[in-house]
Amino acid sequence: MIPGSSPPSGDAVKTLDRDRLAALMASEQADFVDRHPKAAALHERARRSLLAGVPMNWMVKWAGAFPLYVADASGAHVRDVDGHDYIDFSLGDTGAMAGHGAAPTIAAVERQLRRGITTMLPTEDAIWAGEELGRRFGLPYWQFTITATDANRFSLRLCRAITGRPLVAVHDHNYHGTVDETFAWLGPDGAVESRRGNMGPQVDPATTTRVVPFNDLGALEQVLADRQVAALLIEPALTNVGIVLPEPGYLDGVRELTRRYGTVLIHDETHTICAGPGGVTGRDGHEPDMLVVGKTIGGGIPVATSGMSAAIADRVAAATSLEDADVNGIGGTLAGYALSLAAVRATLGEVLTAEAFERMIPRAERWAAGVDDVLARQAVPWHVTRLGARAEYHFMPTPPRTGAEQWANGDFELERFLHLWAMNRGILMTPFHNMALMSPATSEADVDRHTEVFEAAVRALFG
Ligand SMILES: Cc1ncc(COP(=O)(O)O)c(C=O)c1O
């Protein structure tokens, strides 16, 4: 997700009647307030003790006048304190991709709670996790953190340490968590700038970071050629500005160029694990030097990981001093804690299995086909993109090639209306763009209900 993002509107939504949209939004907002008296009262109370009335600032971005308050969540459904049931296509922005409360994860976590949550010592589950991650992603050595942000930050540090190079490179319109160096984008004149929304940066990211458009190998070669870039950190498909898929050969070209110029290639599969059990990397047989994956691997228990090749592991070992191992800027007291590894073992071993993906991916195909069919019948010039178990509609007639193109065709007002319309009819969409994720528990009926609700929204807007 991208906190603070509000893209401008593009051509494909210019035909929208803005007065009609505003009237519809006002009426949906009134319905939302009417239907949620308990959440309204809790929000009033929250405003007296929580900053902006929420436990974390991005929760203000939900489309209702105030956030829903959750009573319980299970499988692909969430129930709120006002007694409404929701089909959850947001799934905690991937944190709950395994489904809410998957039984094997709960059982493993309950067991581990009684055996010791954190001791600063390894458990055998960690070895199981390293072996399984190696099998899925093709990299032999793994280290665990609490969040994907941490795993990315530590990976960039390791890359600077082993290459002796000062800079990192990322894609334009990336999101890799709250990693300072990545909060950079390309300004209108093509120069690197601090991205919109970046609050209080430590240093100007233009001094730490080079930025390249997605799907542009020429631009990538230009930023790598002087051999100043330690690491290229990428999602193999953009997912945070909206889904932007790699063109055929793009990721192979990225691999070839990073090898040629001695830059460490890091795949961040935190969201793109939706492509299959080994993400895009495993599905298509890519060979990054390092790989990060977080959020879902513990079934909702905080944990993330970074993996590396044997060659990188050797260089890291040579750069690491025993005496300074606790103060080298890579750590976290609870990182690698026993509870998190028990959760990873159960979630990867019994929940997010290859068989689960065989159910989840057809659900996303059905979701995308449903939306596509509505758009065709209503003659609305929008497009649907799918990546494995995740799909998204864009307010433009063709798939975006770059993050900037997707951004230019975004529409914050329209997006909020669609999210609120869905929420008032029992569907949760991620509040950041128009993305739906399937869990192993998502049913065909859940997907078909989305199609129905989406069709009604499109009719209300354009009919
Ligand atoms: C691709 C990617 N990497 C890393 C992160 C950071 O994850 P976390 O917020 O759990 O640290 C995100 C969060 O949305 C992400 O989308």
Side-chain angles (χ1 to χ4, degrees):
M1 55 92 189
I2 303 186
S5 58
S6 0
S9 60
D11 291 343
V13 288
K14 293 276 167 59
T15 52
L16 190 64
D17 177 342
R18 293 276 155 190
D19 293 338
R20 185 175 189 166
L21 175 60
L24 282 168
M25 187 68 183
S27 129
E28 289 301 314
Q29 205 58 275
D31 273 5
F32 179 88
V33 172
D34 272 359
R35 286 162 47 84
H36 297 95
K38 289 187 178 158
L42 287 170
H43 183 60
E44 269 318 295
R45 195 176 132 208
R47 277 154 43 103
R48 295 194 286 274
S49 63
L50 301 177
L51 184 65
V54 285
M56 177 39 69
N57 70 77
W58 43 254
M59 289 188 195
V60 299
K61 217 165 167 183
W62 284 96
F66 41 79
L68 298 175
Y69 273 75
V70 173
D72 62 274
S74 106
H77 285 245
V78 168
R79 271 158 298 276
D80 72 9
V81 292
D82 287 290
H84 308 297
D85 181 82
Y86 301 86
I87 304 161
D88 188 2
F89 290 107
S90 165
L91 293 169
D93 196 27
T94 311
M97 179 177 157
H100 296 288
T105 308
I106 296 211
V109 166
E110 279 177 351
R111 247 187 341 264
Q112 194 61 43
L113 283 172
R114 285 186 288 273
R115 290 179 181 167
I117 297 169
T118 184
T119 61
M120 285 216 308
L121 285 165
T123 53
E124 193 249 335
D125 290 337
I127 307 173
W128 186 95
E131 290 166 352
E132 173 64 9
L133 290 162
R135 198 180 62 72
R136 289 183 180 222
F137 295 103
L139 291 169
Y141 295 106
W142 296 85
Q143 177 163 274
F144 293 90
T145 60
I146 310 288
T147 66
T149 296
D150 279 350
N152 280 324
R153 281 195 301 119
F154 301 155
S155 299
L156 294 181
R157 272 181 173 265
L158 290 178
C159 293
R160 281 194 298 265
I162 65 177
T163 61
R165 297 180 181 183
L167 300 177
V168 304
V170 291
H171 279 133
D172 194 24
H173 292 279
N174 76 81
Y175 188 74
H176 295 284
T178 53
V179 180
D180 289 292
E181 296 100 317
T182 63
F183 274 66
W185 67 7
L186 294 173
D189 59 355
V192 176
E193 291 178 354
S194 184
R195 67 149 296 135
R196 175 169 148 189
N198 186 8
M199 289 182 81
Q202 298 181 10
V203 294
D204 179 354
T207 63
T208 58
T209 308
R210 290 179 175 171
V211 180
V212 288
F214 199 71
N215 280 324
D216 188 340
L217 290 173
L220 180 62
E221 178 153 25
Q222 273 181 19
V223 306
L224 300 186
D226 66 359
R227 297 177 185 267
Q228 292 301 300
V229 175
L232 174 68
L233 172 62
I234 64 167
E235 283 192 284
L238 295 183
T239 64
N240 279 293
V241 65
I243 299 175
V244 183
L245 297 177
E247 291 179 338
Y250 177 62
L251 294 174
D252 293 334
V254 167
R255 177 65 286 190
E256 200 278 308
L257 287 173
T258 45
R259 274 208 182 105
R260 190 187 311 164
Y261 295 111
T263 294
V264 181
L265 174 61
I266 310 170
H267 278 191
D268 178 354
E269 292 268 17
T270 298
H271 276 185
T272 49
I273 190 174
C274 62
V280 172
T281 302
R283 185 193 68 185
D284 300 341
H286 294 296
E287 294 180 348
D289 302 300
M290 298 183 74
L291 187 141
V292 164
V293 58
K295 296 201 188 186
T296 192
I297 60 170
I301 298 293
V303 57
T305 185
S306 60
M308 63 192 80
S309 68
I312 298 288
D314 285 347
R315 291 165 73 187
V316 168
T320 306
S321 115
L322 174 62
E323 190 170 347
D324 299 324
D326 56 337
V327 289
N328 61 11
I330 293 160
T333 308
L334 271 77
Y337 66 117
L339 186 72
S340 68
L341 273 309
V344 170
R345 183 173 191 162
T347 305
L348 294 187
E350 299 173 66
V351 188
L352 281 179
T353 57
E355 297 70 45
F357 278 91
E358 280 165 24
R359 289 197 307 281
M360 291 151 70
I361 292 173
R363 297 282 187 276
E365 285 168 352
R366 189 179 181 97
W367 191 96
V371 170
D372 210 27
D373 186 49
V374 170
L375 296 176
R377 277 189 287 110
Q378 303 295 323
V380 174
W382 300 351
H383 181 82
V384 194
T385 305
R386 186 182 60 80
L387 176 68
R390 191 190 298 277
E392 162 136 32
Y393 48 87
H394 314 260
F395 305 135
M396 55 196 288
T398 50
R401 279 195 68 242
T402 64
E405 201 184 326
Q406 162 66 16
W407 173 262
N409 286 281
D411 190 307
F412 185 55
E413 215 185 346
L414 177 56
E415 214 172 84
R416 277 180 82 71
F417 163 72
L418 288 162
H419 294 171
L420 186 57
W421 176 280
M423 199 146 59
N424 281 343
R425 288 154 187 81
I427 285 178
L428 289 186
M429 296 283 286
T430 305
F432 309 119
H433 34 97
N434 304 310
M435 197 159 74
L437 181 62
M438 311 298 138
S439 75
T442 309
S443 69
E444 288 190 350
D446 293 338
V447 169
D448 294 347
R449 174 68 185 148
H450 174 268
T451 308
E452 241 174 75
V453 167
F454 178 72
E455 173 147 29
V458 168
R459 278 181 193 278
L461 283 168
F462 298 102

